[in-house]
Amino acid sequence: MLLCILGPKKSGKHAFTNYLCNLSYTYIGYSPDLSSTLICESKWNKSLVTILPDPESWLNLRKRPFVHLIIIYAPSKSIWRNSNDDSFFLKVLNLKLDKSITQCTEIPNYCTIESLFSFVSTLDFNIRPTFDKYFMDVAVSVSLRSNCMKMKIGAIIVKDKRIIATGYNGTPKSMLNCFEGGCNRCNSNVGNNKGLTYCVCIHAEESALLNIGYERCVNSYIYVTHFPCQLCFRKIVQMGIKKVLYRFKYSLEDDIVNDYFKSSDIETESI
């Protein structure tokens, strides 16, 4: 992996690069054909860092999957902030508008070098996401199909690192979508996790579980955007799910439901 450091003068990019070198990265000088050189010399899978001389230099590297851009800005109150920075900002902005910069890590307005290093220590420069992050991101994408007026929730069931079912919350087939008035409960002012008896919407977890049988569910993982409610807890246990992974809390009853999962030997994890 190659980290490309970009920033205006006196932004701290050299100190940042030295910090990365102390973390087992190897510095390599920039050249217009750097990308091709790394491939020819089979160095692309090593931890490398370079400093880009200007924003336009990124155009020579941006298409490579093993390259990540890091933009560092000098502190807003720094004596080094000057009119030259405006030119740098405009060049970066133009690249963004032109979609030449679509994904990068930006580190703005740190106060001291120490605070910069502290912030960087929390970052993950792994370009390829872990399976957990990958599956949770898929669940989030699935939630976008929800037609519920209250909350968009997505769930996927994974077994042997393969997605075997997906589901999102909304009214059953042949009914009006929730946002079209299909569910009276969701279209009222009732609070979350209240009046669920009168809700006709199928929950995301239910939808995913209904798409496959018990045999395929046993010992699988379910990734859900929000922690399951009590109604879904019972179905998850009954279908033999081994682990529940979620991103957001759902209600004040989460702790109670979590105790139920523990008593059923089902592991839960927030990611």
Side-chain angles (χ1 to χ4, degrees), residues 32-51:
D33 59 348
L34 177 58
S35 178
S36 300
T37 300
L38 294 178
I39 293 179
C40 293
E41 298 180 4
S42 299
K43 292 182 178 179
W44 62 269
N45 58 348
K46 297 181 180 180
S47 297
L48 303 173
V49 59
T50 190
I51 298 177

Side-chain angles (χ1 to χ4, degrees), residues 66-82:
F66 54 83
V67 177
H68 187 75
L69 176 64
I70 301 175
I71 304 177
I72 302 178
Y73 300 104
S76 56
K77 296 182 180 180
S78 169
I79 60 174
W80 302 111
R81 289 291 286 264
N82 53 51

Side-chain angles (χ1 to χ4, degrees), residues 172-223:
K173 291 181 179 179
S174 76
M175 289 189 63
L176 283 176
N177 287 318
C178 184
F179 59 73
E180 295 175 323
C183 177
N184 292 330
R185 179 259 176 189
C186 290
N187 284 275
S188 66
N189 292 325
V190 65
N192 288 334
N193 208 35
K194 296 183 181 297
L196 294 178
T197 304
Y198 307 101
C199 180
V200 299
C201 287
I202 295 176
H203 292 194
E205 301 94 319
E206 291 178 310
S207 178
L209 293 169
L210 286 170
N211 286 330
I212 54 176
Y214 171 81
E215 289 77 12
R216 297 187 67 191
C217 267
V218 173
N219 293 325
S220 61
Y221 288 12
I222 185 168
Y223 292 78

